[in-house]
Coordinates of all heavy atoms in Angstrom, one line a residue:
F1 N -5.4 8.6 7.9 CA -4.4 8.8 6.8 C -4.5 7.7 5.8 O -4.7 6.6 6.2 CB -3.0 8.8 7.4 CG -2.6 10.1 8.2 CD1 -3.0 10.2 9.5 CD2 -2.0 11.1 7.6 CE1 -2.7 11.3 10.3 CE2 -1.7 12.3 8.4 CZ -2.1 12.3 9.7
D2 N -4.5 8.1 4.5 CA -4.5 7.1 3.5 C -3.2 6.3 3.4 O -2.2 6.9 3.8 CB -4.7 7.8 2.1 CG -6.1 8.4 1.9 OD1 -7.1 7.8 2.5 OD2 -6.3 9.4 1.2
C3 N -3.3 5.1 3.0 CA -2.1 4.3 2.8 C -1.2 4.9 1.8 O -1.7 5.5 0.8 CB -2.6 2.9 2.4 SG -1.2 1.8 2.0
W4 N 0.1 4.7 2.0 CA 1.0 5.3 1.0 C 0.9 4.7 -0.4 O 1.3 5.3 -1.4 CB 2.5 5.0 1.5 CG 2.9 5.7 2.8 CD1 2.2 6.6 3.5 CD2 4.1 5.5 3.5 NE1 2.9 7.0 4.6 CE2 4.0 6.3 4.6 CE3 5.2 4.7 3.3 CZ2 5.1 6.4 5.6 CZ3 6.2 4.7 4.2 CH2 6.2 5.6 5.3
Y5 N 0.2 3.5 -0.4 CA 0.0 2.9 -1.7 C -1.3 3.1 -2.3 O -1.8 2.4 -3.2 CB 0.3 1.4 -1.5 CG 1.7 1.1 -1.3 CD1 2.2 1.1 0.1 CD2 2.6 0.8 -2.3 CE1 3.6 0.8 0.3 CE2 4.0 0.6 -2.0 CZ 4.4 0.6 -0.7 OH 5.8 0.4 -0.5
K6 N -2.0 4.2 -1.9 CA -3.3 4.5 -2.5 C -3.2 4.7 -4.0 O -4.1 4.3 -4.7 CB -3.9 5.8 -1.8 CG -5.3 6.1 -2.2 CD -5.9 7.3 -1.5 CE -7.3 7.5 -2.0 NZ -7.9 8.6 -1.3
P7 N -2.2 5.4 -4.5 CA -2.1 5.6 -5.9 C -2.1 4.3 -6.7 O -2.4 4.3 -7.9 CB -0.8 6.4 -6.2 CG -0.6 7.1 -4.8 CD -1.1 6.1 -3.8
F8 N -1.7 3.2 -6.1 CA -1.6 1.9 -6.7 C -2.8 1.0 -6.5 O -2.9 -0.1 -7.0 CB -0.3 1.2 -6.2 CG 0.9 2.0 -6.5 CD1 1.6 2.7 -5.5 CD2 1.5 2.0 -7.8 CE1 2.7 3.4 -5.7 CE2 2.6 2.8 -8.0 CZ 3.2 3.5 -7.0
G9 N -3.7 1.5 -5.6 CA -5.0 0.7 -5.4 C -5.3 0.3 -4.0 O -6.4 -0.2 -3.8
C10 N -4.5 0.6 -3.0 CA -4.8 0.3 -1.7 C -5.8 1.3 -1.1 O -5.5 2.5 -1.1 CB -3.6 0.2 -0.8 SG -3.9 -0.4 0.9
V11 N -6.9 0.9 -0.6 CA -7.9 1.8 -0.1 C -8.0 1.9 1.4 O -8.9 2.6 2.0 CB -9.3 1.4 -0.6 CG1 -9.4 1.5 -2.2 CG2 -9.7 0.0 -0.2
H12 N -7.0 1.4 2.1 CA -6.9 1.4 3.5 C -6.6 2.8 4.1 O -5.8 3.5 3.5 CB -5.8 0.4 4.0 CG -5.8 0.3 5.5 ND1 -6.6 -0.5 6.2 CD2 -5.0 0.9 6.4 CE1 -6.4 -0.4 7.5 NE2 -5.3 0.4 7.6
A13 N -7.4 3.2 5.1 CA -7.1 4.4 5.8 C -7.1 4.1 7.3 O -8.0 3.3 7.7 CB -8.2 5.5 5.5
C14 N -6.2 4.7 8.1 CA -6.2 4.4 9.5 C -5.5 5.6 10.2 O -4.9 6.5 9.6 CB -5.4 3.2 9.7 SG -3.7 3.2 9.2
P15 N -5.6 5.7 11.5 CA -4.9 6.7 12.3 C -3.4 6.6 12.0 O -2.8 5.5 11.8 CB -5.2 6.4 13.7 CG -6.5 5.6 13.7 CD -6.4 4.8 12.4
K16 N -2.7 7.7 12.2 CA -1.2 7.7 11.9 C -0.4 6.7 12.7 O 0.5 6.1 12.2 CB -0.7 9.1 12.2 CG 0.7 9.4 11.7 CD 1.1 10.8 12.0 CE 2.5 11.1 11.4 NZ 2.8 12.6 11.6
Q17 N -0.9 6.5 13.9 CA -0.2 5.5 14.8 C -0.2 4.1 14.3 O 0.6 3.3 14.6 CB -0.7 5.5 16.2 CG -0.6 6.8 16.9 CD -1.8 7.8 16.7 OE1 -2.4 7.7 15.6 NE2 -2.1 8.6 17.6
K18 N -1.2 3.7 13.5 CA -1.4 2.4 13.0 C -0.9 2.2 11.5 O -1.0 1.1 11.0 CB -2.8 1.9 13.1 CG -3.3 1.9 14.6 CD -4.5 1.1 14.8 CE -4.8 1.1 16.3 NZ -5.4 -0.1 16.7
L19 N -0.5 3.3 10.9 CA -0.1 3.2 9.5 C 1.1 2.3 9.3 O 1.2 1.5 8.4 CB 0.1 4.6 8.9 CG 0.4 4.7 7.4 CD1 -0.8 4.1 6.6 CD2 0.6 6.1 7.0
K20 N 2.1 2.4 10.2 CA 3.3 1.6 10.1 C 3.0 0.1 10.2 O 3.5 -0.7 9.4 CB 4.3 2.0 11.2 CG 5.6 1.2 11.1 CD 6.6 1.7 12.2 CE 7.8 0.9 12.2 NZ 8.7 1.3 13.3
Q21 N 2.1 -0.2 11.1 CA 1.7 -1.6 11.2 C 1.0 -2.1 10.0 O 1.3 -3.2 9.5 CB 0.8 -1.7 12.4 CG 0.2 -3.1 12.7 CD -0.8 -3.2 13.8 OE1 -1.2 -2.2 14.3 NE2 -1.2 -4.4 14.2
H22 N 0.2 -1.3 9.4 CA -0.5 -1.7 8.1 C 0.5 -1.9 7.0 O 0.5 -2.9 6.3 CB -1.5 -0.6 7.7 CG -2.0 -0.8 6.3 ND1 -2.8 -1.7 5.9 CD2 -1.6 0.0 5.2 CE1 -3.0 -1.6 4.6 NE2 -2.3 -0.6 4.1
L23 N 1.5 -1.0 6.9 CA 2.5 -1.1 5.8 C 3.3 -2.4 6.0 O 3.7 -3.0 5.0 CB 3.4 0.1 5.9 CG 2.7 1.4 5.5 CD1 3.7 2.6 5.7 CD2 2.3 1.4 4.0
I24 N 3.6 -2.8 7.2 CA 4.4 -4.0 7.5 C 3.6 -5.2 7.2 O 4.0 -6.1 6.5 CB 4.9 -4.0 8.9 CG1 6.0 -2.9 9.1 CG2 5.5 -5.4 9.3 CD1 6.4 -2.7 10.6
L25 N 2.4 -5.3 7.7 CA 1.5 -6.4 7.5 C 1.1 -6.7 6.1 O 0.9 -7.8 5.7 CB 0.3 -6.3 8.4 CG 0.5 -6.5 9.9 CD1 -0.8 -6.2 10.7 CD2 1.1 -7.8 10.3
K26 N 1.0 -5.6 5.3 CA 0.5 -5.8 3.9 C 1.6 -5.6 2.9 O 1.4 -5.2 1.8 CB -0.6 -4.7 3.7 CG -1.8 -5.0 4.5 CD -2.5 -6.3 4.1 CE -3.8 -6.5 4.8 NZ -4.4 -7.7 4.4
L27 N 2.8 -5.9 3.3 CA 4.0 -5.7 2.4 C 3.8 -6.4 1.1 O 4.0 -5.8 0.0 CB 5.3 -6.1 3.1 CG 6.6 -5.9 2.3 CD1 6.8 -4.4 2.2 CD2 7.7 -6.5 3.1
K28 N 3.5 -7.7 1.1 CA 3.3 -8.5 -0.2 C 2.1 -7.9 -1.0 O 2.2 -7.8 -2.2 CB 3.1 -9.9 0.1 CG 3.0 -10.8 -1.1 CD 2.7 -12.2 -0.9 CE 2.6 -13.1 -2.1 NZ 2.2 -12.5 -3.3
F29 N 1.0 -7.6 -0.3 CA -0.1 -7.0 -1.0 C 0.3 -5.7 -1.8 O -0.1 -5.5 -2.9 CB -1.2 -6.7 0.0 CG -2.4 -6.0 -0.6 CD1 -3.3 -6.6 -1.5 CD2 -2.6 -4.7 -0.2 CE1 -4.3 -5.9 -2.0 CE2 -3.7 -4.0 -0.7 CZ -4.6 -4.6 -1.6
H30 N 1.0 -4.9 -1.1 CA 1.5 -3.6 -1.7 C 2.4 -3.9 -2.8 O 2.3 -3.2 -3.9 CB 2.1 -2.7 -0.6 CG 1.1 -2.2 0.4 ND1 1.5 -2.0 1.7 CD2 -0.1 -1.8 0.2 CE1 0.4 -1.6 2.3 NE2 -0.6 -1.4 1.5
F31 N 3.3 -4.8 -2.7 CA 4.3 -5.2 -3.7 C 3.5 -5.6 -5.0 O 3.8 -5.2 -6.1 CB 5.2 -6.2 -3.2 CG 6.2 -6.6 -4.3 CD1 7.3 -5.8 -4.6 CD2 6.1 -7.8 -5.0 CE1 8.2 -6.2 -5.6 CE2 7.0 -8.2 -5.9 CZ 8.1 -7.4 -6.2
D32 N 2.5 -6.5 -4.7 CA 1.7 -7.0 -5.9 C 0.9 -5.9 -6.6 O 0.8 -5.9 -7.8 CB 0.7 -8.1 -5.4 CG 1.4 -9.4 -4.9 OD1 2.6 -9.6 -5.3 OD2 0.8 -10.2 -4.2
L33 N 0.4 -4.9 -5.8 CA -0.2 -3.7 -6.4 C 0.7 -3.0 -7.3 O 0.3 -2.6 -8.4 CB -0.8 -2.8 -5.3 CG -2.0 -3.2 -4.6 CD1 -2.4 -2.2 -3.5 CD2 -3.2 -3.4 -5.5
V34 N 1.9 -2.7 -6.8 CA 2.9 -2.0 -7.6 C 3.3 -2.8 -8.9 O 3.3 -2.2 -10.0 CB 4.2 -1.7 -6.8 CG1 5.3 -1.1 -7.7 CG2 3.8 -0.7 -5.7
V35 N 3.5 -4.1 -8.8 CA 3.8 -4.9 -10.0 C 2.7 -4.8 -11.0 O 2.9 -4.7 -12.2 CB 4.1 -6.4 -9.5 CG1 4.1 -7.3 -10.7 CG2 5.4 -6.4 -8.8
K36 N 1.4 -4.9 -10.5 CA 0.3 -4.9 -11.4 C 0.2 -3.5 -12.1 O -0.1 -3.4 -13.3 CB -1.0 -5.1 -10.5 CG -2.3 -5.3 -11.3 CD -3.4 -5.6 -10.3 CE -4.7 -5.6 -11.0 NZ -5.8 -5.9 -10.1
F37 N 0.5 -2.4 -11.3 CA 0.5 -1.1 -11.9 C 1.5 -0.9 -13.0 O 1.3 -0.4 -14.0 CB 0.7 -0.1 -10.7 CG 0.6 1.3 -11.2 CD1 -0.6 2.0 -11.5 CD2 1.8 2.1 -11.3 CE1 -0.6 3.3 -11.9 CE2 1.8 3.4 -11.8 CZ 0.6 4.0 -12.0
V38 N 2.7 -1.4 -12.7 CA 3.8 -1.4 -13.7 C 3.5 -2.1 -14.9 O 3.7 -1.7 -16.1 CB 5.1 -1.8 -13.1 CG1 6.2 -2.0 -14.1 CG2 5.6 -0.9 -12.0
D39 N 2.9 -3.3 -14.7 CA 2.4 -4.1 -15.9 C 1.4 -3.4 -16.7 O 1.5 -3.4 -18.0 CB 1.8 -5.5 -15.5 CG 2.9 -6.4 -15.0 OD1 4.1 -6.2 -15.3 OD2 2.6 -7.4 -14.3
S40 N 0.5 -2.7 -16.1 CA -0.5 -1.9 -16.9 C 0.1 -0.8 -17.6 O -0.3 -0.4 -18.7 CB -1.7 -1.5 -16.0 OG -1.2 -0.5 -15.1
L41 N 1.1 -0.1 -17.0 CA 1.8 0.9 -17.7 C 2.6 0.4 -18.9 O 2.6 1.1 -19.9 CB 2.8 1.6 -16.7 CG 2.3 2.5 -15.6 CD1 3.4 3.1 -14.8 CD2 1.5 3.7 -16.3
K42 N 3.2 -0.8 -18.8 CA 3.9 -1.4 -19.9 C 2.9 -1.6 -21.0 O 3.2 -1.4 -22.2 CB 4.5 -2.7 -19.5 CG 5.8 -2.6 -18.7 CD 6.3 -3.9 -18.4 CE 7.6 -3.9 -17.5 NZ 8.1 -5.2 -17.1

């Protein structure tokens, strides 16, 4: 399954059982991707 943050630039894919762990461990990385995306939209 693709990471929920794929539209923002995260290219991680993993089995469904490990997706929650990825989302928790990469919280700051995902937040930074969204901030960068919003800045580019601005």
